[in-house]
């Protein structure tokens, strides 16, 4: 009986424990379910709250952007995203699609004068990126025409290089916004390399380059072309704003000197100052130039023009390892080359070049000296000196007259010199045994027999040289040269071509005063008779009011107008 009661009690206790465990597990499940439901409800509320905040921020940014666009465009709202395409052209004027013209014209942008635009590169926002980093990838520009295909904007090289300074994405996207820019009053620029300040009237060269520009922006790099040379100038400061218009305005320009000469100085077109009477040492690699400059004052120029002194350029070089050539020109030809120069010397070893200007009134001024590495790396010593001329011509003439006029003389049959009749037999015997005459047509030089084999003549021009100089002469003077305009000529003809007929030659325009490329022959026959080039024919077609009658007359017709109408000589 006791056993049954104990079993029943144990069973009851076990069932109670199981019920208690099931109730506890059920309570835990209900508590966890309530907690999960509360967490999901809180997460949903947070997500909804975040979406509302994002929408509010997006609306605020859109309103702020619209306000900025309206403020930037002075009441004109134009902000579109385009695919950037590149085209070859000068200046900073872009091409937009025709739909942009309709959008702008509907808002009256055409009535507000020249149109300017602010360009910025579209990229993914990097967390923590500073606003200054975005500002570096923005610039301003004008518009050339509305002929680009829809969805794209065509950028000239200047705008493209300033906008995509580092990496270029596969599909470059830009944001174009209409902008109203103030007229510039001040600009500070800094060349990125040496040599720009050596250009004659370099400010006029910069002004000519900026004629193709409508705007300037800080941190932009402006390309300035001078013949075949290119110079980069960075815009450091602008007033009255960081982006200004340069159309129909006078801008005060300051040009800072570059920080220092780069390591590859020999690759730059830099004029090193050369003092008269002082020796300058240097080295030049094969196929490269080293440039120097010196000036001739008015007092020295008068002596040179009168024939009392000479300008002597001397270069001493070691021919054991290399060889050099020397080219000299007078400004405005700043950097003489193998094809464009006024004086040159191609002798092997040391050279002395006497400068004799064709026009005696153009002696004073700046001169440029180019030392060209003809073979290997050559070390040299360059100097310029003003040396007085010793009048020895009269002494030599008197000696020649007395010698030739001596009646007791005969002509040697071998060397053709006048010899005293008393020693003629001995002289002729010695002369025939040791001397020989060069039989080349027009030469007749008397040579020692041991050196006669080293005396050769060029088969093309007939000039006489030593055997070791012939290879250099053939390469320098008779090797075909390619002109950038497509003409192939030898050196002498190439020098004449690039100084008189090459369309890429630099001239000083008689109308605008700038140093520009001449271009080809003008279309107008009358301009060709006036010895005008293509640039002068176009530039002279601009009109200006006559100073006497006020009538608008073409610049190239102004002299004829003054003679025909006002009887001025």
């Amino acid at each position: 009986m006791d056993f049954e009661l104990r079993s029943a009690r144990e069973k009851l206790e076990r069932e109670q424990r199981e019920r208690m465990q099931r109730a506890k597990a059920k309570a835990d499940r209900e508590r966890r379910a309530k907690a999960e439901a509360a967490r999901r409800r809180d997460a949903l509320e947070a997500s909804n709250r975040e979406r509302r905040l994002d929408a509010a921020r997006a609306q605020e940014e859109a309103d702020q952007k619209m306000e900025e666009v309206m403020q930037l465009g002075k009441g004109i709202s134009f902000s579109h995203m385009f695919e950037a395409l590149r085209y070859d052209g000068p200046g900073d004027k872009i091409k937009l699609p025709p739909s942009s013209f309709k959008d702008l014209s509907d808002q009256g942008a055409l009535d507000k004068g020249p149109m300017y635009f602010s360009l910025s590169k579209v990229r993914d926002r990097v967390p923590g990126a500073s606003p200054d980093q975005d500002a570096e990838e923005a610039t301003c520009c004008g518009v050339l025409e509305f002929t680009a295909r829809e969805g794209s904007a065509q950028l000239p090289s200047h705008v493209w290089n300033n906008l995509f300074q580092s990496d270029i994405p596969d599909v470059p996207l830009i944001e174009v916004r209409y902008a109203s820019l103030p007229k510039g009053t001040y600009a500070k620029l800094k060349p990125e390399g040496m040599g720009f300040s050596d250009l004659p009237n370099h400010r006029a060269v910069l002004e000519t380059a900026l004629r193709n520009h409508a705007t300037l922006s800080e941190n932009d790099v402006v390309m300035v072309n001078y013949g075949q040379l290119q110079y980069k100038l960075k815009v450091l400061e602008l007033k009255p704003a960081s982006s200004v218009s340069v159309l129909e305005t006078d801008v005060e320009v300051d040009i800072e000197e570059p920080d220092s000469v780069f390591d590859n100085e020999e690759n730059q077109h830099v004029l090193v100052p050369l003092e008269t009477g002082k020796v300058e040492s240097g080295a030049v690699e094969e196929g490269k130039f080293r440039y120097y400059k010196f000036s001739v004052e008015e007092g020295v120029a008068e002596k040179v023009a009168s024939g009392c002194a000479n300008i002597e350029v001397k270069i001493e070089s070691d021919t054991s390892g290399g060889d050099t050539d020397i080219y000299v020109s007078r400004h405005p030809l700043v950097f003489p080359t193998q094809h464009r120069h006024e004086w040159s010397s191609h002798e092997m070893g040391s050279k002395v070049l006497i400068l004799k200007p064709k026009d005696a009134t153009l002696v004073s001024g700046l001169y440029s000296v180019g030392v060209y590495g003809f073979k290997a790396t050559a070390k040299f010593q360059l100097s310029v000196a003003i040396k007085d001329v010793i009048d020895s011509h009269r002494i030599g003439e008197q000696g020649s007259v007395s010698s030739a006029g001596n009646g007791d003389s005969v002509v040697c049959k071998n060397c053709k010199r006048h010899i005293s009749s008393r020693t003629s037999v001995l002289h002729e015997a010695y002369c025939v045994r040791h001397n020989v005459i060069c039989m080349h047509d027009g030469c007749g030089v008397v040579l020692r027999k041991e050196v006669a084999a080293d005396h050769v003549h060029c088969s093309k021009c007939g000039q006489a040289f030593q055997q070791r100089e012939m290879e250099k002469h053939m390469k320098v003077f008779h090797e075909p040269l390619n002109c950038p305009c497509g003409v192939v000529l030898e050196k002498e003809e190439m020098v004449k071509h690039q100084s008189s007929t090459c369309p890429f030659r630099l001239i000083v325009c008689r109308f605008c005063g700038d140093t520009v490329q001449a271009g080809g022959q003008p279309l107008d026959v009358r301009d060709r008779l006036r010895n005008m080039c293509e640039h002068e024919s176009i530039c002279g077609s601009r009109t200006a009011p006559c100073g006497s009658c006020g009538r608008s007359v073409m610049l190239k017709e102004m002299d004829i107008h003054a003679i025909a109408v006002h009887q001025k000589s």
Side-chain angles (χ1 to χ4, degrees), residues 203-269:
R203 291 182 178 273
V205 176
L206 176 61
E207 180 182 353
T208 302
L210 292 180
R211 287 179 182 173
N212 296 319
H213 289 255
T215 66
L216 279 181
S217 299
E218 291 182 355
N219 297 320
D220 275 2
V221 177
V222 179
M223 298 293 297
V224 178
N225 296 320
Y226 186 80
Q228 303 297 324
L229 306 178
Q230 279 191 340
Y231 297 93
K232 295 182 179 180
L233 285 82
K234 186 172 184 179
V235 181
L236 300 181
E237 183 182 354
L238 294 171
K239 292 181 182 180
S242 59
S243 295
V244 297
S245 167
V246 294
L247 294 178
E248 299 178 356
T249 182
D250 293 331
V251 182
E252 179 185 356
V253 179
D254 283 344
I255 300 177
E256 286 192 354
E257 291 295 329
D259 295 332
S260 60
V261 182
F262 297 157
D263 295 335
N264 57 343
E265 180 182 345
E266 63 274 7
N267 294 330
Q268 302 182 39
H269 287 76

Side-chain angles (χ1 to χ4, degrees), residues 23 42 97 123 131 137 165 176-177 197-198 227 235 253 271 298 336 349 379 394 461 478 490-491 528 533:
D42 294 341
R123 60 183 179 85
E137 298 179 346
Q165 298 179 5
V176 180
R177 295 189 296 175
S197 58
D198 293 327
V235 181
V253 179
L271 293 176
E298 289 289 344
K379 296 181 179 180
R394 182 174 299 179
C461 63
H478 301 298
E490 293 185 357
K491 175 182 167 52
R528 289 201 293 268
C533 61

